[in-house]
Amino acid sequence: LKRGRFDDVIARLGPAIKANPGFVPPRMLMGLAHLGKNAPGPAIEQFEQINQLNPKIAANHYYLGRAFLLRGDVESARKAYRQPLALDPSLKAVGIELAALSGEKPDDELLAARIEELKVALTRDPTNVSIRHALARAYLARDNVRGAGGELKRVLDTAPAFGPRNLVTATIRL
């Protein structure tokens, strides 16, 4: 997933899911691979099945919200984003995205803390496109278009097929 090889992830996880349909981790990774491929339908299917298995996984609700957003279903995305905050109010990324979806400006302290978290994470794993993409979104939420553009370029250099980058790039150009 970190390198944007989503088809490889999907091919490898298919047999694991088929062998043990109730095991959550491969389903979560499969959903993330579909998100990376810009395929919200299969991602939503995986995340909804995870919710049936265990509705208390905050990250899964967050990813489900991202998949709904990718599909263009803003209302379902808002609903999905509220769930992880109910389970764990400290999830900064979810609070930031929910505020943006609701047309509100996220708390500046929250954004600053999230940006610092992401920068630290990047020092540990500089090629992780998901972290770079999250940092670009956080920069954009703070109206730092230049910072967001720089991170998106690094995502493109590392993983040209990373689909979510295109959504943020389109937002910048609008």
Side-chain angles (χ1 to χ4, degrees), residues 61 64-66 68-69 73-85 94 97-104:
H61 291 283
L64 178 60
R66 289 187 60 198
F68 280 131
L69 191 58
D73 186 349
V74 175
E75 192 52 45
S76 292
R78 277 190 199 115
K79 184 178 174 186
Y81 279 157
R82 287 185 187 106
Q83 290 299 318
L85 288 173
V94 180
E97 290 191 31
L98 182 58
L101 272 179
S102 302
E104 301 167 5

Side-chain angles (χ1 to χ4, degrees), residues 42-61:
I44 290 168
E45 181 181 316
Q46 293 300 321
F47 298 136
E48 286 181 338
Q49 288 178 9
I50 292 168
N51 279 344
Q52 289 175 1
L53 295 167
N54 185 347
K56 294 185 178 184
I57 301 173
N60 187 64
H61 291 283

Side-chain angles (χ1 to χ4, degrees), residues 105 135-145 147-148 168-169 171-172:
K105 184 75 176 161
L135 181 57
R137 289 192 331 261
Y139 279 146
L140 197 55
R142 281 190 102 185
D143 296 324
N144 182 347
V145 175
V168 178
T169 303
T171 303
I172 290 172

Side-chain angles (χ1 to χ4, degrees), residues 3 14 17 20-21 34 49 60 69 102-103 107 124 133 153 159 162-163:
R3 305 278 186 249
I17 292 171
N20 190 354
H34 284 297
Q49 288 178 9
N60 187 64
L69 191 58
S102 302
D107 181 273
R124 290 189 300 262
H133 183 254
K153 179 167 180 357
F162 187 69

Side-chain angles (χ1 to χ4, degrees), residues 109-170:
E109 283 183 40
L110 182 67
L111 278 172
R114 178 69 176 150
I115 287 169
E116 286 310 310
E117 263 178 24
L118 293 167
K119 285 179 177 179
V120 168
L122 278 174
T123 61
R124 290 189 300 262
D125 189 0
T127 61
N128 188 317
V129 294
S130 295
I131 295 172
R132 285 207 181 277
H133 183 254
L135 181 57
R137 289 192 331 261
Y139 279 146
L140 197 55
R142 281 190 102 185
D143 296 324
N144 182 347
V145 175
R146 186 180 185 102
E151 291 305 325
L152 291 172
K153 179 167 180 357
R154 289 180 193 95
V155 168
L156 179 61
D157 292 344
T158 304
F162 187 69
R165 177 199 75 80
N166 297 330
L167 294 173
V168 178
T169 303

Side-chain angles (χ1 to χ4, degrees), residues 1-18:
L1 283 175
K2 290 183 200 177
R3 305 278 186 249
R5 296 174 52 193
F6 307 116
D7 290 326
D8 291 344
V9 171
I10 292 167
R12 290 180 185 201
L13 290 175
I17 292 171
K18 192 175 257 184

